[in-house]
Amino acid sequence: MQDAFKDKLIDILISGKLITQKQLTDALEIQKNIGCSLGKILIWQGYVSQKDIVVAMSQQLNIPPINLSKYQVDKTLVNLIPEKMVKQYLVMPVSKIGNVLTVAMADPLDIFAIDDIKTLTSYQIQPIIAAENDIKEAINNYYGSPIEDISLMMEQVESSDVLEIESDEEKEEINVSEVAEESNKAPIVKVVNLILNEAMKKRSSDIHIEPREKSLLVRYRIDGSLEDALTLPKKNQNAIIARLKIMSGLDITETRTPQDGRFKISFEGKEIDFRVSVLPTTFGGKIVLRALDKSSLSIGLDKLGFLPKPLSTFKAALARPYGLILVTGPTGSGKSTTLYSIITQLNTPDRNIITLEDPVEYEVEGITQIQARPDIGLTFASGLKSVLRQSPDIVMVGEIRDFETADISIKASLTGQLILSTLHTNDAAGAITRLIDMGVEPFLVASSLVLSSAQRLMRNICSFCKKEIDIPKIVLEKAGVNLDQVRDKGVKHFYHGAGCPRCNKTGYRGRFGILEALFIDDNVREMIMKKSPSDDIKNYAIKEQDMLTLRDNAMENFITGVTTLEEVLKVTSED
């Protein structure tokens, strides 16, 4: 039935002029390479939205649509269709009237799914159409094991089977063979799997497993903020840490020095990479797992949430065949995602793209990626020298940390390569003075730099509990909000998230990027040559280039109801 649905979808999108024949051809070519559904690819490429597909299918097939994200499902219906079946067919029961069960479906033409559900429930099935992501979200919310079940699993570990470790400040005696054996027992395996599964369901970017004096704390970083998930018994600590080390290919006998590894899991048809860091602490090895979802790289720059003006400036710089483009910001501001999105879009057969990273976060097919290893002399600087002998068209340098790396990057950009890299500065103009402070000659910076940008990540207001809010005029004025200009734009209300189960009572759900893009024109080059202060360069860009600062970006998203004033003040500083 998938082929029938695919053919029907193509007919509807083409006849409705939602996509062009060229876009369809491009999407089908991508599908051959990655084997994903056509609808997903069309959405990733920005050709259509999920809403477009749902509305078009609904009109053509005369099947009513439903917005599951705003629909409260009767929990008693969840028991009618087992979790395995709803995940297999991507369906969700939404209502029951008499002998008719209404089921939301991503593929309403799947007669096998309808027949199976009808046979299982003995009800007549009324299909309605819903967005695939909304169905998955509903399944995550209404099905699955709650994380509290971990405590039940832990009870399955017999106390006699658990390692009792006696330690003092001098040494820690650990029977490695017993730890390895214990880590492979069913309850421990289930606990680790459930920790990972719940983290993915909650859209966690990082998992922190932290040994405490009398317990093992698990925390998830969701939308940039850490939240306590559960507390596990101290007696199971070594087995859980050993299990994660084995999965990551690390040495379980090593407990005194930091270790780094990685592993992959499959979650809802997506491949998730985990980058693993183990750090020895007073109470044992603390593990942080960074989740890296490759599918997020396919969405492109247009889907990262940047406002149109700075995004157009960024794209104009990327159209240059050579030069240096810098993305700046603190750790966790989304710099890597931006750079990977760029090189994924630029990754065509006629280009030789090489990256030099520490560590390699995402593995991208068709791109040569090198892991920097300073311990054996493979630094950014020495590695970059070798990379440039490989005749690259585009080079991504993970970070410019010293003069030598900066000097080689800049000189390479002057000889025909497009160099992408990052710096840790607060704003776009600050990157210029940072390079000069490193010892790079101003004339080299002026000649090579095409664009300097700064970015941050901000939290979206949760769409499920979004409500109007009254903010006192004095508070708005202190924050720099011009009420007259706001009213001129037709904005009548401001919003916040009241807090609901979907957002873990935080009022926020998901994040987006804000971008400050400073284009290096002739006047900026002249200011660089004169070693003008970064504030002067920034003021020029604001006045003459109409550059939007990070605060301007954030405030625009607040005014349009995307985020809150509190988030604006938290993430950005006053310019």
Side-chain angles (χ1 to χ4, degrees), residues 511-554:
R511 290 192 290 177
F512 63 94
I514 56 173
L515 181 69
E516 178 180 295
L518 169 60
F519 193 80
I520 311 302
D521 61 18
D522 290 340
N523 289 324
V524 174
R525 289 191 184 93
E526 187 175 337
M527 296 175 79
I528 295 173
M529 296 283 285
K530 292 178 179 177
K531 294 187 178 181
S532 298
S534 60
D535 286 345
D536 291 350
I537 297 174
K538 184 173 185 175
N539 291 332
Y540 163 80
I542 293 170
K543 292 177 182 177
E544 302 301 328
Q545 296 183 356
D546 293 326
M547 182 186 80
L548 296 178
T549 64
L550 290 170
R551 172 58 69 89
D552 294 335
N553 278 262

Side-chain angles (χ1 to χ4, degrees), residues 430-445:
I432 296 170
T433 52
R434 176 65 59 83
L435 288 173
I436 294 174
D437 289 344
M438 283 183 179
V440 181
E441 292 291 340
F443 77 90
L444 288 175
V445 176

